[in-house]
Amino acid sequence: MELEIQRAIVKYGMEDLYDYSDVDVLIVGAGPSGLTCAKYLAEKGYKVAVYEKRLSFGGGIGGGGNMIPKIVVQEEVLPIVNDFKIRYKKAEKGLYVVDPAELIAKLATGALDAGAKFFLGVYVEDVIVRDNPPKVCGVLWKWTAIEMAGLHVDPLFTQSKALVDASGHGAEIVQIAAEKNPELNIFIKGERSNWSEVSEKVVVEHTAKVAEGLYVTGIAVCEVFGLPRMGPIFGGMLMSGKRIAEIIDKDLSK
């Protein structure tokens, strides 16, 4: 039986890696904005893959507010919350509380049920860029365990029509693209200190394409555009994920 187990894992696992080496949309980061983006694009029929460097979903959701098991969303995000069938309880001043574990589980389930494919434990170390005109066309990646071990192993490639940086604080993918490819004209301003009321609005407004083929969503937007962070309120993250899905859909359907 051990042989059959081994062969099933290798055969079908490699088939997934082969099939998803060329995708419409590659999302780096399985946090709130990445999961939201994945659902809305996958249900439109796009071939969507999500790379997450950890072995779990959720990004910064799981810790709630300083390990207290509740996070906050605002009233205007309830249509998205309802799309994912997430339960909530009314708090004060147009705010609602959500259970972090349920939010993680249902965001992930929503994306999976829509058809998005997830690869956990994947570390993205570089982007693929072509010129005339300059365009981001995918990533170079290896398993996170290899990166953590410090082994010198050449990465593999994944090609994409749209690459989404949903990596969170630090905007890791946009940082790589900006540092190595000045012709992309990406200028990163750096995240500013907390101002929840402002950030929840401007993070959605600044969700955008930053170079041909490269998009940014969620808290990574704050890093790129010099916006304040927002703390344990996640409505802006969900709205940013939906907004970037709308932008990509418009671009890819041209």
Side-chain angles (χ1 to χ4, degrees), residues 7 27 31-32 52 57 78 125 138 197 202 211 216 231 252:
R7 285 178 168 173
I27 301 167
E52 169 55 50
F57 304 115
L78 292 184
E125 74 166 39
E197 183 177 1
V202 296
V216 65
L252 295 187

Side-chain angles (χ1 to χ4, degrees), residues 26 33 39 49-50 56 58 66 78 100-101 123 143 145 154-156 170 178 222 232 245-246 248 252:
L26 176 59
S33 57
K39 169 186 166 63
V50 182
S56 58
N66 197 26
L78 292 184
Y123 175 82
W143 301 116
D154 284 328
L156 291 175
C222 299
E246 293 167 347
I248 292 170
L252 295 187

Side-chain angles (χ1 to χ4, degrees), residues 21 41 51 57 99 106 113 127 131 141 161 209 219:
S21 61
L41 285 172
Y51 285 176
F57 304 115
D99 182 79
K106 289 187 175 176
D113 287 349
V127 296
D131 55 10
W141 67 273
K161 296 175 183 175
K209 177 168 67 177
I219 196 67

Side-chain angles (χ1 to χ4, degrees), residues 218-229:
I219 196 67
V221 174
C222 299
E223 177 72 17
V224 174
F225 293 101
L227 309 179
R229 61 181 295 173

Side-chain angles (χ1 to χ4, degrees), residues 12 14 20 25 30 53 78 80 89 91 96 102 121-122 138 163 175 191 204 211 213 215 217 219-220 241 248 252:
Y12 294 103
M14 290 301 179
Y20 281 85
V25 184
K53 66 182 178 182
L78 292 184
I80 299 174
K89 182 177 180 179
Y96 297 78
E102 180 174 355
V122 173
L163 173 61
Q175 287 278 5
E191 180 182 289
V204 181
Y215 301 77
T217 187
I219 196 67
I248 292 170
L252 295 187

Side-chain angles (χ1 to χ4, degrees), residues 141-161:
W141 67 273
K142 56 190 176 187
W143 301 116
T144 302
I146 293 174
E147 175 67 15
M148 292 176 68
L151 300 176
H152 178 74
V153 175
D154 284 328
L156 291 175
F157 312 95
T158 299
Q159 182 172 284
S160 63
K161 296 175 183 175

Side-chain angles (χ1 to χ4, degrees), residues 196-208:
S196 301
E197 183 177 1
V198 170
S199 188
E200 281 295 288
K201 297 176 182 178
V202 296
V203 71
V204 181
E205 294 170 0
H206 285 74
T207 296

